[in-house]
Amino acid sequence: MNPSKTSRRWMWLVYLLWALFVNGFNMWVIGPLVKDLALLGVIAVLLIILLWLTSIPAYARKKWITFTVFALLLGQGLSSVAFYPTDSRIIYSVIMLLGLFFLALFITKAGWRNILVSTLGILVATIWLPVSEWPFLTHFTIAKEGRMSLIPADIPALPWAVINGKNGQSLVTLSLAVPTKAQLKELASESTHSKNSLYNLLQSADHEYELVQIRHVGGHTEVRPLPPRDMGKIQPWDLISSTFPFAISHWKVVDNHVITYLSPTLDAESATSLGLEPVSYPGNFLALSQQAWDTDMSEWQEAVTTAGSSMVLPALEIHHNVLEGEWHGAPIHVPVKGQIVLSEGSFTSRGAHQVLVEGADILQVVDLNSQQVVGTYHATLTRGLPHNIVTGPLRQGGRDAIFVNATPAYILTVQKDGQFHLVYTAPNDSLRFEAVLQSKPSDPPEIITNDPSALRDVPTRYFTSYTYRQGQLYRNWRVYETNVVNVQPIQWVGGREDLAVSIYGSGEYLILRRSYLPVLPATAVAFVLICLVGFGLRIRERRSSRVQSS
């Protein structure tokens, strides 16, 4: 058998593997170098490109350069239309596939079979997961990737609520649900209870959202409308926190679907007045928050009753500045200066049973054993208190800390005497804390953030994990993907643990599972081997030409 003919027979596989490899190499090596190391990264990329170019035999250099450009353009192009409506996606994909295929056929001279197989390979790979999401693969596998319909002006990113079941959890989020003409006509005929009811209906018709449940069934992830009977299992704060207190969430059940829409808490005149009175702002904001919370809860309770569900009430709630409820059978009644119970935890000492309460520019820790406020923190001009606060341990088995996403973000701990202690301040205004995770019981907690490069002077943030040690954050890993927010650990039925994340401003979401495969080192080693093979071919080519000349 002729070795030359045998090698040519398998060249389609070489082209296919290179087309896939170069897209991964671009996402896992080239992109991160430029994004994280600024000018140094650009220099490193230029050296990598120079090394690759010099490893290609001269007679094949043009062919491989043009084919590489074709593979990158196709991967990025198909990813850019991955979330278009189905009709548009098919049309644009077909145009792109045909255009780039014939262009590559004409320019690269790589052979129609090699280009066709590579085109189909990239198409299949992007259907499995768009190339733009491949950066996650360095530290995760993708259990599910999808998109809910969303208007970012209404809700900037998909919120997550967790329903706890006997054997595991499921997720609840929102997806745009524009009513049909028949439904709109029926609703309009019923909107007669006030002079503004029809106007309000038409205003909100294109901004209604349906509650959607994501659950793990039979080894795969299933998306379905939330059954109205399960409404009561949700804590409404998880769904309304991103718009609170400036919007009220209204709820209704239409054709066995749970629908919500937003209306502003204040009219334009009242909102303007609030902003023009800085001296009275804390008090006015406190009153606004209380009003919004009372209205939100009233709307929610009415919808739950209408749906035939029963509320699984939180153990503790705040009513008119009093923390009320029941804990381990004992009634709780503690005056506080807040409206929202942020979380339960052990803030002053390990094993303590406490809750963190937030009000207007104030945090309070309430001890449930002694039923009293044991610590109070007041915001300052340089350290504000937004609603975006995360809690979790800084050290393995340690007491909980408070991660405040102000500008800049900072971390607070609470001493045994109730004094709040600042233990970390972000080095820039862009860092945001997303969650605190315990990936392995033997490892320290992972602090999940979105934060920018330390070298580049741009605010672009990347999905990053840190460990806290001696007053500093030390990076564990970084995924070079932006706008990853609302990080929610989820333990499915059957015990499998994943991570749900939303992509800000898009409605896209991913269910991630930690992976410890050495994707990045393997990619680097593969590139070195490819270059060595290329240099070996060049050496053999030179020897062959010398033999022929002699």
Side-chain angles (χ1 to χ4, degrees):
M1 182 178 291
N2 189 329
S4 179
K5 289 184 177 180
T6 303
S7 62
R8 284 199 297 268
R9 185 180 300 172
W10 292 100
M11 278 304 294
W12 64 268
L13 182 59
V14 175
Y15 278 95
L16 171 62
L17 293 177
W18 175 255
L20 297 175
F21 174 81
V22 75
N23 275 283
F25 191 76
N26 182 50
M27 287 295 168
W28 302 327
V29 178
I30 300 298
L33 283 173
V34 175
K35 293 173 180 177
D36 211 21
L37 299 181
L39 181 60
L40 295 178
V42 173
I43 294 173
V45 168
L46 292 176
L47 292 175
I48 288 172
I49 294 174
L50 182 62
L51 175 66
W52 173 64
L53 290 176
T54 54
S55 72
I56 305 173
Y59 68 88
R61 194 166 294 157
K62 178 182 177 182
K63 179 190 297 184
W64 281 104
I65 292 173
T66 53
F67 179 80
T68 300
V69 173
F70 155 74
L72 291 173
L73 286 175
L74 186 59
Q76 292 296 321
L78 291 175
S79 297
S80 67
V81 300
F83 293 104
Y84 279 28
T86 303
D87 293 344
S88 300
R89 181 184 180 185
I90 292 175
I91 292 171
Y92 286 122
S93 296
V94 169
I95 294 173
M96 196 180 308
L97 288 167
L98 292 176
L100 288 175
F101 173 80
F102 286 109
L103 193 62
L105 190 63
F106 176 75
I107 295 177
T108 66
K109 309 295 184 182
W112 68 270
R113 181 186 298 174
N114 300 328
I115 297 174
L116 178 61
V117 172
S118 301
T119 300
L120 295 177
I122 295 174
L123 176 61
V124 171
T126 53
I127 291 175
W128 167 69
L129 183 69
V131 172
S132 56
E133 307 302 340
W134 287 16
F136 285 105
L137 298 179
T138 54
H139 296 91
F140 297 92
T141 57
I142 311 297
K144 184 171 181 59
E145 181 256 357
R147 176 174 294 204
M148 302 295 181
S149 184
L150 189 75
I151 300 175
D154 294 337
I155 303 168
L158 291 177
W160 299 114
V162 175
I163 291 181
N164 294 305
K166 292 182 180 179
N167 300 315
Q169 300 174 322
S170 62
L171 291 166
V172 176
T173 188
L174 304 172
S175 184
L176 193 65
V178 178
T180 63
K181 290 183 178 180
Q183 290 174 334
L184 193 59
K185 185 176 180 180
E186 181 181 352
L187 292 171
S189 64
E190 297 174 356
S191 300
T192 57
H193 55 276
S194 72
K195 63 180 182 179
N196 293 326
S197 57
L198 181 59
Y199 172 79
N200 293 335
L201 170 67
L202 296 176
Q203 286 289 100
S204 64
D206 292 334
H207 299 267
E208 294 187 346
Y209 292 85
E210 176 183 6
L211 287 188
V212 177
Q213 184 179 26
I214 303 175
R215 59 179 188 161
H216 192 65
V217 180
H220 67 279
T221 306
E222 175 187 85
V223 180
R224 66 167 188 173
L226 178 74
R229 65 178 181 275
D230 291 338
M231 275 188 73
K233 300 177 182 179
I234 299 171
Q235 298 299 333
W237 172 252
D238 296 332
L239 297 176
I240 67 175
S241 58
S242 63
T243 58
F244 181 86
F246 299 105
I248 300 296
S249 297
H250 305 272
W251 308 87
K252 58 186 177 181
V253 178
V254 180
D255 295 335
N256 213 36
H257 293 255
V258 182
I259 304 296
T260 182
Y261 62 94
L262 301 172
S263 67
T265 308
L266 300 174
D267 56 32
E269 183 178 350
S270 300
T272 302
S273 299
L274 180 67
L276 294 176
E277 297 177 4
V279 176
S280 306
Y281 185 79
N284 291 339
F285 187 82
L286 186 65
L288 175 67
S289 300
Q290 187 66 61
Q291 173 193 343
W293 180 249
D294 291 342
T295 306
D296 275 323
M297 289 305 298
S298 175
E299 291 276 347
W300 177 258
Q301 290 170 0
E302 182 180 348
V304 169
T305 303
T306 303
S309 183
S310 57
M311 289 187 65
V312 179
L313 294 173
L316 299 168
E317 290 186 298
I318 297 174
H319 296 285
H320 304 292
N321 293 333
V322 177
L323 179 67
E324 298 177 331
E326 187 176 289
W327 181 74
H328 286 194
I332 300 295
H333 188 91
V334 182
V336 294
K337 296 179 180 178
Q339 296 78 45
I340 303 167
V341 178
L342 287 177
S343 68
E344 299 182 14
S346 303
F347 297 99
T348 60
S349 60
R350 293 176 58 182
H353 302 288
Q354 297 166 335
V355 294
L356 181 67
V357 172
E358 184 184 14
D361 296 329
I362 191 172
L363 290 175
Q364 292 187 310
V365 175
V366 179
D367 188 85
L368 299 178
N369 287 317
S370 62
Q371 294 205 28
Q372 61 181 350
V373 175
V374 296
T376 300
Y377 176 80
H378 294 275
T380 66
L381 291 176
T382 56
R383 296 195 190 98
L385 275 178
H387 284 301
N388 194 348
I389 293 175
V390 176
T391 61
L394 278 178
R395 302 176 180 87
Q396 183 182 5
R399 51 198 171 94
D400 290 314
I402 303 165
F403 301 79
V404 183
N405 284 317
T407 305
Y410 57 94
I411 303 175
L412 298 170
T413 58
V414 190
Q415 307 302 316
K416 289 185 178 180
D417 60 0
Q419 294 296 314
F420 281 72
H421 180 52
L422 178 70
V423 297
Y424 177 80
T425 301
N428 56 71
D429 291 343
S430 298
L431 185 145
R432 290 292 178 269
F433 299 110
E434 295 294 337
V436 181
L437 307 176
Q438 189 74 54
S439 298
K440 291 183 177 180
S442 58
D443 292 343
E446 286 188 280
I447 301 169
I448 306 300
T449 72
N450 276 300
D451 69 303
S453 163
L455 296 180
R456 293 181 66 206
D457 188 22
V458 291
T460 305
R461 297 183 285 226
Y462 305 106
F463 191 48
T464 311
S465 164
Y466 288 100
T467 298
Y468 177 86
R469 293 196 302 271
Q470 299 176 344
Q472 297 297 324
L473 297 184
Y474 293 88
R475 189 198 295 181
N476 300 313
W477 49 260
R478 171 168 283 179
V479 171
Y480 290 87
E481 184 69 30
T482 60
N483 299 323
V484 183
V485 298
N486 295 346
V487 179
Q488 176 63 56
I490 177 76
Q491 185 169 12
W492 304 108
V493 173
R496 198 189 75 192
E497 294 186 1
D498 287 338
L499 205 62
V501 301
S502 304
I503 305 300
Y504 188 89
S506 69
E508 184 184 354
Y509 69 92
L510 297 104
I511 308 297
L512 306 173
R513 190 175 310 151
R514 281 301 302 272
S515 171
Y516 298 94
L517 294 174
V519 173
L520 187 57
T523 303
V525 170
F527 177 76
V528 172
L529 291 176
I530 289 170
C531 290
L532 291 176
V533 170
F535 284 120
L537 291 174
R538 290 196 64 181
I539 293 172
R540 190 176 71 172
E541 179 188 359
R542 288 182 181 179
R543 288 178 178 175
S544 176
S545 61
R546 287 176 182 174
V547 170
Q548 291 176 0
S549 61
S550 62

mmCIF file of all heavy atoms in Angstrom, residues 7 126 247:
data_model
loop_
_atom_site.group_PDB
_atom_site.id
_atom_site.type_symbol
_atom_site.label_atom_id
_atom_site.label_comp_id
_atom_site.label_asym_id
_atom_site.label_seq_id
_atom_site.Cartn_x
_atom_site.Cartn_y
_atom_site.Cartn_z
ATOM 1 N N SER A 7 -2.014 8.268 3.870
ATOM 2 C CA SER A 7 -2.030 9.503 4.674
ATOM 3 C C SER A 7 -3.033 10.503 4.124
ATOM 4 O O SER A 7 -3.722 11.180 4.874
ATOM 5 C CB SER A 7 -0.629 10.105 4.738
ATOM 6 O OG SER A 7 -0.191 10.457 3.440
ATOM 7 N N THR A 126 -21.092 23.434 17.614
ATOM 8 C CA THR A 126 -21.789 24.643 18.063
ATOM 9 C C THR A 126 -23.246 24.361 18.411
ATOM 10 O O THR A 126 -23.835 25.084 19.217
ATOM 11 C CB THR A 126 -21.715 25.742 16.989
ATOM 12 O OG1 THR A 126 -22.177 25.220 15.738
ATOM 13 C CG2 THR A 126 -20.304 26.253 16.829
ATOM 14 N N ALA A 247 -40.223 48.602 41.956
ATOM 15 C CA ALA A 247 -41.279 48.006 41.144
ATOM 16 C C ALA A 247 -42.067 47.017 41.995
ATOM 17 O O ALA A 247 -41.505 46.348 42.878
ATOM 18 C CB ALA A 247 -40.704 47.311 39.917
#
